[in-house]
């Protein structure tokens, strides 16, 4: 069939939220996400990554199958769904589920009321995943609920409150309190609670929830049913500007199309072709969508196996295999079980629902988890082309690597036959990934063995690996050699030697270590060896001994369970007024709006008349002179309006906050990959992005290119000044100690991964050079300052508005100012509104993150564990410009003592100047790095003295009123209380005994336990940074409008400010509204950073409200029985001002001399202490095929004073803790040796997902704690909890120590790098397999990623 014979353009008919959509000119390149957001103005569905990796764009798709008369509902990522694939489908977005204008759906209500929303950007996606599950299963199991959320990421909450909302829909109780004895596993003999204080463990009341009523949901449109049943199926053609979409309905038609267009890809779910086109620039003029062809959707069951159509979705395959396993005899289901095991963790539900079995096979990607096990299992492919049908083994398509042309371009994969297993045949599948679920594998494998009947002699052996080279590879030589051998230790040794020799590993382009992959390759076979031994024993126990008892735990895979959690906080006093909301777990004031998708973020703002779109062109060199910029080709691209360079900046392009500038546009040279060189303005974001690829920049490489801290030290490349603190006589102390240790630890950087990428909308007002800026930022005042300076206008012409921010964590400060200037310069030049929304990849490339860090230390201590002297040097990778790096260095020095009294201390911090994007502020601001260095040498001192780490911590902890090394007075009473309470509530010593007992009984799985204290000094270092203002208006109807300088980015600051205003004005919160933070209402506001937002802004709001209350007092005194409205009306009639400003500044200041700088610190009592205890990290068995650890339990006790809102505060602690787990155990930034960032999205960069949080999670707020210096005796706490994630790091270290001790490796070892990933753990557990790597000549290869 040729395109010439095609009819005119089709009408694309589908429904969205019950509304019929007829698209007359459907563009095959148009994805559903931009269509919903731009065309239909349904902005609840969010852009998070554009690659199906974060779940922010989740929608529900419903289709009708006339043959079975069934409606199928499934979740999908709108960013990957071409609208042309939706013919005859119904789409439901978060707006269609419920809204505040109609009815809020129970899912939306419960997510908000269970406090499952902080910044709110991920909430619509969460709602849609849960809603879709409930449409299919109104009473789901907890396993189904966890699986439904595996494809959704949240950076704020730590997932616990989201899961709390989910639990309310599950049919079975997920808390063990439902057991016969009625006790919770988190309650250790009633010692969880302090009897003297009234405590509470309820953050929400289920009584408030409306019931789930399935009869109230949107029905499937009857018109679509009629279309499916009555209209004859016909081929659909959709022609776009550049691409044609053809959807045939018969196999013959498809074969004709493929013969005519052999290079046209087949697209079913668009999960492979879509990302290739979007991220790799691959273009296909014709795509063929065969999803409607019945032959490709066939499901046939026979006695010898299953035949599944190539277009069957992976979710359907999963369901079919689950049913088959239940119905076939066990002996026949081993292939099915192995395939199903891989399907459970393959991608998220949204991807599995659309990705096809055939696409997974035909793409032949190395990262396919299915291909190795399908190939090993002798699956057959049924192929067809015009006039020809044939069947080939699936393994044939991997015979000669990537160049394999077994399947000709004209051939179609029609179906796949998955055989039943035979008697004496055993099949297994394995994978190792950076995260247990929804992560591409580092290496995977499928293995099958068939024995001669009644023996352990190998008749047939099949081993396939994925992730090793560019496609799935077979170890066929090894298999041939081992055929005829007995299944014993000699065979195992020979197999490991042969497979290492046969599977050649090149250095990976994305930076994985070849040695690690080889270790996995042999480990997988060893695991298979043990499994088969155990199977043989079950078949003939008398003849085969199986495996030793202590080995058996390795055969049990980790399962993701619904976590159990408890939150403990001090209840309000009985005497407190019911109207007073302070101290109560109040829902986030935007929670319902988050869950309904009505909350507006920058890119949700309606398009402004004449609006243009901006896309940036970034440097591809780390250090180079710009020879020329050729924009001629780009300017010819459709829709391009102009190109902006440094020459278009009216005034300041370089900002000197120190000796080195912060630059808007690179002018003469570039100093990192990702530096902005110019920007394209076009009529759409698509046209702007396409044109950036046409800008040609010629470079002349400059030397040196400095990327790593070591290179910076070598070239003496630093930002001045260096910082130093000294206390006592360090050199003399070293002469008197019993022992000295020296070491260093490398701590990797961390990407902020806020869910809302950097976003700016610049709108020129048309007169007096005024401009409105709508920006996702933590610091509107710096935006105003930088933009005004770049445009050469006074700051009073620039109005910066921030409603809310979709996550920030320190990443939306100065860099956002530079990006806002890019948009403002473009808007100024064109006199048109300009929108700049960075893609996830560009955001990660351009913005920088947490500073990579090397800590070098020399520690002197006595034999009894007392630490007498520390000499430490910190080297911080600042990147190419200063940003906040020197301040980060200062904070790392000031907080390095953590919770310990160090009598003699010398500490130096140097910021390295390198050719990487400038690193910046990040939650914790230097403390998470320097405190990890401290805890590392604490643990090493424990190793050296033979004492336990917790004993060393207790010995050296602050014990009495004292001074810190920066001369701040400290009362450690609450630190000691936290420590003792955590020890008691967690039953630390009994659990430690249980851990040791488990480790004795298990050789390949280990547990670890660690308890870590924390002192987190509060403060911003400089007095003027701790001031705040507020503005409160009372209107004549009694309603109150509140504004202040703080930014809402998920930490609930507006909710808390409304609580403060409610108490001070003595009115309900429902009378108070917060509109936005703006430079027009509160000028010169300090940034919302350093955990200080509530402390300073709360005092300012209190001040304003007290002013108003004071003005109203005479009126209230005259009419004490009047209502609030009566008093306000009377005040207005008496001409009493109903508007007031409030102001606050810190008055008490403690100072300490820091080398060449006066450091100012806030009052001494503003100190947090918290202890996290993480028990039971299961350690990688050497052959474990999942992520090598599972956090079984975490207990946190934290002193946060008197909580203003326990729900918000506990959510902040948990969210920070999970972010800390990411920093210390998972999140790895990988750069090429040329300085190019490899990890540019959720596919490559793994933040914690729902599967990574503790199975048991207890957070307890210290009771009876007062802080007289802050609002209502509270303490700000946004950053503090992040460091507690290192308890997981040290629990892992404890487990590794157990392994090494058991293997006889008594020598001290240092885990000298963070994050402590699967690879690091594996390398630390020396054994036969790591020895094989050491002795394997071909193992080592040049790493393709560098440690910066």
């Amino acid at each position: 069939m040729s395109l010439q014979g095609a009819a005119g353009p089709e009408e694309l008919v589908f429904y969205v939220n019950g509304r019929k959509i007829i698209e007359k000119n459907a563009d095959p390149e148009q994805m559903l996400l931009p269509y919903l957001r731009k065309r239909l103005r349904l902005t609840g569905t969010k852009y998070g990554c554009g690659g199906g990796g974060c779940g922010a764009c989740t929608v529900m798709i419903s289709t009708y199958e006339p043959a079975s008369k069934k409606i199928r509902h499934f979740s999908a990522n709108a960013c990957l769904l071409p609208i042309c694939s939706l013919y005859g489908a119904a789409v439901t977005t978060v707006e269609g589920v419920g809204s505040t204008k109609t009815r809020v759906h129970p899912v939306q209500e419960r997510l908000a009321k269970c406090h499952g929303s902080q910044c709110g950007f991920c909430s619509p996606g969460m709602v849609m995943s849960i809603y879709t599950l409930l449409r299919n299963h109104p009473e789901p199991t907890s396993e189904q609920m966890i699986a439904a959320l595996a494809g959704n990421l949240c950076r704020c909450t730590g997932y616990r409150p989201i899961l709390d909302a989910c639990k309310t829909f599950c049919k079975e109780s997920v808390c063990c309190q439902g057991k016969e004895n009625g006790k919770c596993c988190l309650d250790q003999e009633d010692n969880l609670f302090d009897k003297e204080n009234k405590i509470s463990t309820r953050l929400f009341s289920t009584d408030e929830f409306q019931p789930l009523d399935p009869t109230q949901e949107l029905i499937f449109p009857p018109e679509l049913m009629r279309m499916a049943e009555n209209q004859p199926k016909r081929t659909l053609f959709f022609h776009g500007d550049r691409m044609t979409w053809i959807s045939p309905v018969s196999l013959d038609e498809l074969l004709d199309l493929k013969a005519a267009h052999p290079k046209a890809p087949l697209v079913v779910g668009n999960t492979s072709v879509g990302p290739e086109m979007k991220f790799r620039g691959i273009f296909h003029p014709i795509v063929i969508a065969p999803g409607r062809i019945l032959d490709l959707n066939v499901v046939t069951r026979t006695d010898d196996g299953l035949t599944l159509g190539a277009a069957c979705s992976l979710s359907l395959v999963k369901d079919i295999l689950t049913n088959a396993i239940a119905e076939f005899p066990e002996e026949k289901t081993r292939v099915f079980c192995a395939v199903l095991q891989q399907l459970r963790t393959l991608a998220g539900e949204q991807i599995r629902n659309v990705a096809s079995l055939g696409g997974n096979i035909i793409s032949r990607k190395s990262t396919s988890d299915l291909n190795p096990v399908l190939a090993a299992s002798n699956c057959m492919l049924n192929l067809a082309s015009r006039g020809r049908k044939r069947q080939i083994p699936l393994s044939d398509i991997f015979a000669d690597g990537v160049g394999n042309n077994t399947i000709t371009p004209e051939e179609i994969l029609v179906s796949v036959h998955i055989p039943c297993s035979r008697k004496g045949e055993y099949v297994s599948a394995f994978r190792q990934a950076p995260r247990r679920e929804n992560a591409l594998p580092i290496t995977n494998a499928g293995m099958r063995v068939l024995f001669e009947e009644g023996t352990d002699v190998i008749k047939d052996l099949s081993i396939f690996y994925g992730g090793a080279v560019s496609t799935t590879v077979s170890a066929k030589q090894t298999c041939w050699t081992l055929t005829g051998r007995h299944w014993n230790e000699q065979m195992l040794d020979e197999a490991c030697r042969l497979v290492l020799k046969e599977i050649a590993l090149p250095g990976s382009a994305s930076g994985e270590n070849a040695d690690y992959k080889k270790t996995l390759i042999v480990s997988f076979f060893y695991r298979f060896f043990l499994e088969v031994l155990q199977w043989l024993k079950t078949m003939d126990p008398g003849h085969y001994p199986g495996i030793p008892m202590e080995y058996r735990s390795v055969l049990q895979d980790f399962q993701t369970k619904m976590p159990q959690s408890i939150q403990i906080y001090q209840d309000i006093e009985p005497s407190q007024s019911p109207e007073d909301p302070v101290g109560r777990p109040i829902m986030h004031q935007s929670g319902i709006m988050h869950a309904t998708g009505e909350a507006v973020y920058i890119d949700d703002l309606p398009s402004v008349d004449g609006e243009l779109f901006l896309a940036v062109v970034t440097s591809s060199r780390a250090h180079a002179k710009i020879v020329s910029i050729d924009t001629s080709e780009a300017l010819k691209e459709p829709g391009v309006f102009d190109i902006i360079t440094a020459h278009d900046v009216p005034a300041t392009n370089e900002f000197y906050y120190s000796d080195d500038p912060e630059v808007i546009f690179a002018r003469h040279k570039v100093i990192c990959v990702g530096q902005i060189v110019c920007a394209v303005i076009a009529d759409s974001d698509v046209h702007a992005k396409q044109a950036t690829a046409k800008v040609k920049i010629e470079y002349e490489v400059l030397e040196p290119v400095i990327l790593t801290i070591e290179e910076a030290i070598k070239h003496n490349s630093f930002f001045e000044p260096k910082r130093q603190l000294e206390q006592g006589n360090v050199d003399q102390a070293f002469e008197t100690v019993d022992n000295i240790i020296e070491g260093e630890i490398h701590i990797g950087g961390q990407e902020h991964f806020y869910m809302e990428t950097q976003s700016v909308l610049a709108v020129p007002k048309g007169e007096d050079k005024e401009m409105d800026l709508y920006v996702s930022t933590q610091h509107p005042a710096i935006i105003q300052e930088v933009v005004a300076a770049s445009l050469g206008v006074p700051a009073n012409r620039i109005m910066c508005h921030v409603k809310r921010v979709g996550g920030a964590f320190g990443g939306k400060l100065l860099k956002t100012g530079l990006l806002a200037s890019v948009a403002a310069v473009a808007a100024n030049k064109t006199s048109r509104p300009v929108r700049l929304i960075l893609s996830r990849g560009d955001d990660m490339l351009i913005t920088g993150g947490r500073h990579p860090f090397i800590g070098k230390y020399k520690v002197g201590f006595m034999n009894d564990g007392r630490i007498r002297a520390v000499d430490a040097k910190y080297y911080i990778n600042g990147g190419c410009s200063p940003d906040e790096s020197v301040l980060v260095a200062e904070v790392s020095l000031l907080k390095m003592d953590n919770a310990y009294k160090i009598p003699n201390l010398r500490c130096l911090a140097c910021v390295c100047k390198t050719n990487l994007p400038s690193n910046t502020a990040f939650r914790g601001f230097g403390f998470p790095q320097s405190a990890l260095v401290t805890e590392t040498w604490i643990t090493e001192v424990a190793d050296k003295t033979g004492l336990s780490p917790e004993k060393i911590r207790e010995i050296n902890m602050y014990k009495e009123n004292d001074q810190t090394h920066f001369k701040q007075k400290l009362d450690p009473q609450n630190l000691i209380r936290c420590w003792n309470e955590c020890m008691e509530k967690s039953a630390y010593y009994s659990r430690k005994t249980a851990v040791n007992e488990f480790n004795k009984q298990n050789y390949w799985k280990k547990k670890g336990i660690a308890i870590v204290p924390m002192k987190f000094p509060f403060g911003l270092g400089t007095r003027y940074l701790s001031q705040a203002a507020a503005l409160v208006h009372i209107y004549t109807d009694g309603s109150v409008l509140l504004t202040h300088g703080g930014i809402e980015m998920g930490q609930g600051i507006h909710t808390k400010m409304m609580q403060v205003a409610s108490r001070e004005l003595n009115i309900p919160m429902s009378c108070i509204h917060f509109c936005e933070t703006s430079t027009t209402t509160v000028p010169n506001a300090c940034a919302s950073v350093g955990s200080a937002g509530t402390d300073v802004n709360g005092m300012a709001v209190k001040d304003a409200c007290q002013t108003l209350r004071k003005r109203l007092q005479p009126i209230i005194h005259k009419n004490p029985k009047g209502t609030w409205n009566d008093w306000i009306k009377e005040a207005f009639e008496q001409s009493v001002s109903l508007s007031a400003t409030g102001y606050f500044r810190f008055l008490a200041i403690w100072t300490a001399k820091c080398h060449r700088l006066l450091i100012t610190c806030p009052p001494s009592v503003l100190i947090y202490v918290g202890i996290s205890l993480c028990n039971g990290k299961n350690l990688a068995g050497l052959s474990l095929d999942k992520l090598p650890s599972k956090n079984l339990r975490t207990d946190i006790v934290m002193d946060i004073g008197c909580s203003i809102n326990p729900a918000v505060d506990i959510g902040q602690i948990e969210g920070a803790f999970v972010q800390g787990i990411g920093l210390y155990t998972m999140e790895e930034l990988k750069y090429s040796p040329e300085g190019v960032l490899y990890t540019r999205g959720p596919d490559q960069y793994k933040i914690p997902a729902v599967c990574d949080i503790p199975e048991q999670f207890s957070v307890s707020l210290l009771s009876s704690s007062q802080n007289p210096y802050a609002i209502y005796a509270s303490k700000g706490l946004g950053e503090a909890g992040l460091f507690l994630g290192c308890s997981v790091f040290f629990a892992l270290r404890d487990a590794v120590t157990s392994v090494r001790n058991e293997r006889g490796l008594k020598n001290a070892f240092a885990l000298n790098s963070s994050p402590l990933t699967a690879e690091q753990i594996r390398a630390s557990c020396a054994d036969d397999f790591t020895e094989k790597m050491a002795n394997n000549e071909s193992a080592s290869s040049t790493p393709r990623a560098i440690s910066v």
Side-chain angles (χ1 to χ4, degrees), residues 899-900 935 949-955 957 972-986 988-989 1010-1014 1169-1173 1197 1262:
Y900 310 111
E935 293 299 336
E950 64 271 14
K951 199 73 190 164
I952 298 295
R953 291 182 170 111
E954 281 179 355
I955 289 166
M957 219 180 283
Q973 178 193 349
N974 283 356
L975 171 63
I976 295 160
R977 280 185 61 202
C978 274
W979 178 267
N980 292 337
E981 207 170 293
C982 196
M983 278 283 187
E984 185 185 346
K985 287 182 175 175
S986 64
Y988 179 81
Y989 287 111
I1011 182 164
V1012 179
M1014 175 187 70
V1169 286
I1171 294 168
S1172 166
L1173 180 135
V1197 178
L1262 194 70

Side-chain angles (χ1 to χ4, degrees), residues 1023-1024 1026-1030 1092 1094-1101 1103 1142-1147 1269-1271:
R1023 181 172 168 176
Y1024 70 80
S1026 295
Q1027 60 179 310
T1094 295
D1095 289 42
V1096 295
N1097 289 288
M1099 286 294 204
V1101 169
D1103 183 44
Y1143 179 72
F1144 173 75
R1145 62 178 174 176
F1146 269 126
L1147 295 174
Y1269 290 90
I1271 182 79

